[in-house]
């Protein structure tokens, strides 16, 4: 297509509409970015959870992995020249560590670009479409003849999602003293126990559990038969997971609802007069609320696992 900036870019709009139909709220793309970061960090085997802990070569590889993982998620056809063919339009996929700082190769000239950016530290990600025409590009090139978007080009981006919330890595949101306490022990089970003590009322992903456990059987460290659920029940802490009754209980207490592969821990207390109109759930014949600092620890009720959610 010869680009005429005075006319509506029908190809770009066709790609835009198709992507929005596939992922209206951006949840699928957001999960792809989260999954790619987690693949690179490989927390289960390395214990890493910060972007800064990656080697330079790993950071460079991020764009390639995002390109591959997006194609797997959405089943894009291969392009003849560029990465994808979407609605019979050649589309090049690019990722940059700075917003819209994409490096555009000569073969993408005049073509549609799908550009992504994300920051785990900021908890944000963006994706947009732009056509790589001269009017949108800086004149200078690097040694590989790649160009970048000009100020006008950045203003011309058709954003699919901008500064959307990235699925959270809870370890990046905890105070350093909590991180130190979690990783202090040489026991994977004790580290997982401390994670659920310290990161209450927050969604905790399987990947975070794997990063803390540093073991192949990391899911065993959560369960009731000797895992964190058993270890923490005496302190009043329950761990909601991917069961329908767990989701209902979390919602009933006004907590974040754990999705497939997620957990939410919280300390409970039997309802007393000082709890006022706090939300409660009924278990073992008692009404339970989210414990306050005023409540002394007491054994938590047993929470059966009923109706697993599909993962």
């Amino acid at each position: 297509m010869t680009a005429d900036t005075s006319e509506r870019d029908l190809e770009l709009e066709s790609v835009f509409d198709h992507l929005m139909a596939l992922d209206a709220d951006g949840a699928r793309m957001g999960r792809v970015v989260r999954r790619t970061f987690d693949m690179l960090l490989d927390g289960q085997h390395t214990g890493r959870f910060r972007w800064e802990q990656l080697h330079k070569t790993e950071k460079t590889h991020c764009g390639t992995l995002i390109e591959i993982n997006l194609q797997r998620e959405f089943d894009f056809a291969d392009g003849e020249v560029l990465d994808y063919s979407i609605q019979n339009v050649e589309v090049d996929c690019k990722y940059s560590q700075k917003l819209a700082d994409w490096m555009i190769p000569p073969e993408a000239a005049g073509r549609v670009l799908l550009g992504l950016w994300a920051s785990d530290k900021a908890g944000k990600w963006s994706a947009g479409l732009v056509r790589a025409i001269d009017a949108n590009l800086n004149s200078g090139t690097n040694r590989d003849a790649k160009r970048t978007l000009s100020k006008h080009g950045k203003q011309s981006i058709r954003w699919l999602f901008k500064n959307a919330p990235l699925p959270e890595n809870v370890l990046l949101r905890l105070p350093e003293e909590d991180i130190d306490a979690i990783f202090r022990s040489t026991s994977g089970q004790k580290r997982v126990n401390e994670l659920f003590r310290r990161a209450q009322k927050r969604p905790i992903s399987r990947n975070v559990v794997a990063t803390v456990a540093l073991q192949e059987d990391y899911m065993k460290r959560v369960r009731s038969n000797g895992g964190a659920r058993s270890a923490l029940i005496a302190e009043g802490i329950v761990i909601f997971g991917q069961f329908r009754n767990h989701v209902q209980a979390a919602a009933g207490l006004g907590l974040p609802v754990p999705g497939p592969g997620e957990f939410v821990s919280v300390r409970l207390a039997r309802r007393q007069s000082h709890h006022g109109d706090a939300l409660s759930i009924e278990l073992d014949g008692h009404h339970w609320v989210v414990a306050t600092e005023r409540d002394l620890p007491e054994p938590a009720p047993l929470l059966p696992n009923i109706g697993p959610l599909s993962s």
Side-chain angles (χ1 to χ4, degrees), residues 126-196:
S126 298
L129 300 170
V130 67
R131 189 170 289 277
I133 55 175
D134 283 342
N136 289 336
L137 303 177
N138 289 313
S139 58
T141 65
N142 67 4
R143 60 185 178 184
D144 297 321
K146 293 181 179 180
R147 301 167 71 181
T148 55
L149 289 180
S150 63
K151 181 178 179 180
H152 179 270
K154 292 178 181 180
Q155 293 172 342
S156 301
I157 295 170
R158 182 80 156 93
W159 290 108
L160 292 150
F161 306 97
K162 191 172 184 183
N163 292 323
L166 183 67
E168 187 176 68
N169 177 351
V170 71
L171 295 173
L172 293 176
R173 305 293 172 250
L174 295 177
E176 281 302 317
E177 62 260 29
D178 288 342
I179 295 296
D180 292 342
I182 289 168
F183 284 97
R184 187 177 300 140
S185 177
T186 57
S187 162
Q189 184 62 69
K190 289 182 179 178
R191 290 195 298 270
V192 171
N193 295 350
E194 198 64 31
L195 169 68
F196 285 109

Side-chain angles (χ1 to χ4, degrees), residues 236-273:
I237 297 173
V238 297
I239 301 173
F240 298 122
Q242 51 188 345
F243 296 92
R244 297 192 189 284
N245 64 315
H246 289 211
V247 168
Q248 292 166 358
L253 291 168
L255 297 170
V257 173
E262 289 184 335
F263 307 94
V264 174
S265 64
V266 66
R267 186 168 72 88
L268 300 180
R270 275 180 281 200
R271 178 187 280 284
Q272 300 179 50
S273 59

